[in-house]
Amino acid sequence: MTAHTLPRIFSGVQPTGNLHLGNYLGAIRNWVKLQHDHECLFCVVDLHAITVWQDPAELRRATREVAAAMVASGIDAEKHIIFHQSAVPAHAQLAWVFNCVARMGWLNRMTQFKEKAGKDREAASVGLYAYPNLMAADILAYKATRVPVGDDQKQHLELANDIAQKFNHDTGRAVFPMIEPIIMGPAARVMSLRDGTKKMSKSDPSDQSRINLTDDADAIALKVRRAKTDPEPLPSEEAGLEGRAEARNLVGIYAGLTDLHPAAVLTEHGNKPFSAFKAALTDLLVASLSPIASEMRRLLAEEGAVEAILRSGAERARALSAPVIAEVEDAVGFLRT
Ligand code: TYM
């Protein structure tokens, strides 16, 4: 098969705060596997980041860091495209068109907006509200059909399909394909280490709630040791995880890092006290994450290395999006001179 016949993937990560184990297991680690039989675009979504205030210097730092994390995790930046969203105008262009396609009622249902806007919705930016329209534009500017994400992005992808369908219907042209979410494995929803009912997140005020990709061995050991558990030993079968959110989460993390089924993890570690399982999990986390962290440090220290990757990615992404934007302009009725 030649490259252009492979299905196309698009996915993104926001450059806000620290990348954590949820981003790695829910998204980036799966991208590394999928790159072998897909043509991929992986985007650092800085336009999405500014839907809430970002310090400019910190945004630049985080943009470089996320790009470095993608490469350090094993994405081939020559075969595939790693770029930052603001460098390709097609995202903002198509997002505007989609702002005019998506309905207020659709956006009002988005649970992530409700969570992020909190009680004072009137004070949220218009960008935060329209966030899913920009996400749809990210994917559809390349007519990508597969989108590997964590479980929390599912609703946004359903909305993207609604937008694509309405655009095609309104213009009477089959411009956009349908998108298939790829939500993989036992760690599609990694939970906070402090509360098994809350998602592990960059915005949690407690750093103890998450494992950052750049945490050193001591930090990882401490966080795992302090991770919330219950007094029972680990069950030996998966059914025994019912109602035990924290135990399920730690087993899911172990399974995600080893590509084992949670049942197989329990066959090996069931009936042991949590202290023994936590020691094994710490070793596994350190062995998995420390090579990534050290490669990130190396890349970030090399003057211009990350910039060169992003520049080349943006150039290729612009070339891929140009004909799609032309098709959209034509379908909408914009005069092309
Ligand atoms: P972001 O930056 O919040 O997260 C990046 C990816 O990590 C996944 N993820 C998790 N997976 C499992 N457990 C968790 N606790 C966890 N936390 C985060 C997310 O599901 C995501 O796959 N809106 C997106 C970025 C985006 C995007 C796109 C994604 C913008 N445009 C187009 C796909 C396609 C976001 O905020 O991801």
Side-chain angles (χ1 to χ4, degrees):
M1 249 195 295
T2 53
H4 65 270
T5 63
L6 295 175
R8 189 174 283 172
I9 275 182
F10 184 98
S11 200
V13 180
Q14 291 198 65
T16 48
N18 289 324
L19 276 177
H20 55 71
L21 188 64
N23 301 129
Y24 180 63
L25 288 178
I28 301 173
R29 189 178 154 87
N30 298 328
W31 304 352
V32 174
K33 295 179 193 153
L34 291 162
Q35 69 180 329
H36 303 296
D37 47 7
H38 291 85
E39 179 194 8
C40 304
L41 295 110
F42 297 121
C43 186
V44 187
V45 294
D46 50 1
L47 300 180
H48 277 110
I50 63 161
T51 56
V52 295
W53 163 254
Q54 302 296 325
D55 174 74
E58 170 55 22
L59 181 60
R60 268 186 287 273
R61 186 203 66 78
T63 301
R64 296 180 81 245
E65 186 175 276
V66 172
M70 291 178 184
V71 177
S73 300
I75 305 289
D76 183 338
E78 282 182 20
K79 271 205 193 122
H80 301 286
I81 296 179
I82 294 177
F83 72 110
H84 60 306
Q85 199 181 20
S86 61
V88 181
H91 296 253
Q93 281 177 293
L94 189 56
W96 177 259
V97 175
F98 287 171
N99 285 344
C100 304
V101 174
R103 306 289 94 183
M104 305 270 288
W106 300 356
L107 293 174
N108 286 339
R109 286 197 286 275
M110 295 296 112
T111 52
Q112 195 152 312
F113 174 73
K114 290 181 202 167
E115 277 164 28
K116 287 200 177 169
K119 284 198 183 73
D120 194 3
R121 247 188 249 184
E122 297 282 312
S125 74
V126 175
L128 189 67
Y129 185 66
Y131 182 112
N133 298 346
L134 177 59
M135 237 180 105
D138 294 340
I139 302 160
L140 293 169
Y142 306 94
K143 297 193 183 181
T145 53
R146 299 196 178 167
V147 185
V149 285
D151 182 68
D152 60 340
Q153 298 300 315
K154 204 169 152 197
Q155 194 185 32
H156 288 158
L157 299 184
E158 286 162 5
L159 184 93
N161 274 335
D162 290 341
I163 292 174
Q165 223 153 16
K166 182 164 163 57
F167 181 95
N168 290 349
H169 178 266
D170 289 354
T171 59
R173 299 199 202 176
V175 175
F176 294 118
M178 287 295 108
I179 298 164
E180 180 197 338
I182 305 181
I183 298 171
M184 281 163 69
R189 192 171 180 83
V190 178
M191 309 309 279
S192 155
L193 299 179
R194 308 300 293 168
D195 176 353
T197 65
K198 270 189 8 202
K199 190 177 73 170
M200 184 177 284
S201 136
K202 294 169 195 160
S203 53
D204 193 314
S206 164
D207 194 57
Q208 296 294 312
S209 71
R210 65 183 157 260
I211 289 175
N212 302 307
L213 240 44
T214 49
D215 281 347
D216 63 20
D218 289 344
I220 292 175
L222 191 66
K223 287 177 180 178
V224 173
R225 207 174 325 126
R226 287 192 182 154
K228 190 176 166 200
T229 46
D230 55 43
E232 303 296 316
L234 268 185
S236 56
E237 285 176 18
E238 229 186 329
L241 292 173
E242 205 55 50
R244 298 176 66 186
E246 284 83 13
R248 178 186 295 283
N249 189 37
L250 296 184
V251 170
I253 291 171
Y254 196 101
L257 287 169
T258 50
D259 292 319
L260 289 170
H261 193 277
V265 176
L266 292 175
T267 307
E268 198 182 330
H269 294 279
N271 296 325
K272 288 187 198 161
F274 268 110
S275 54
F277 180 61
K278 282 181 164 182
L281 181 59
T282 299
D283 290 346
L284 178 62
L285 280 163
V286 171
S288 310
L289 300 185
S290 63
I292 299 176
S294 70
E295 180 59 10
M296 279 173 71
R297 275 195 298 276
R298 192 193 67 74
L299 271 167
L300 290 167
E302 198 182 317
E303 174 107 20
V306 172
E307 284 75 4
I309 290 167
L310 290 173
R311 200 177 315 116
S312 150
E315 210 171 287
R316 289 179 282 153
R318 280 194 292 267
L320 289 178
S321 60
V324 181
I325 294 299
E327 200 181 340
V328 168
E329 288 177 339
D330 193 50
V332 168
F334 293 162
L335 184 64
R336 294 175 50 77
T337 51

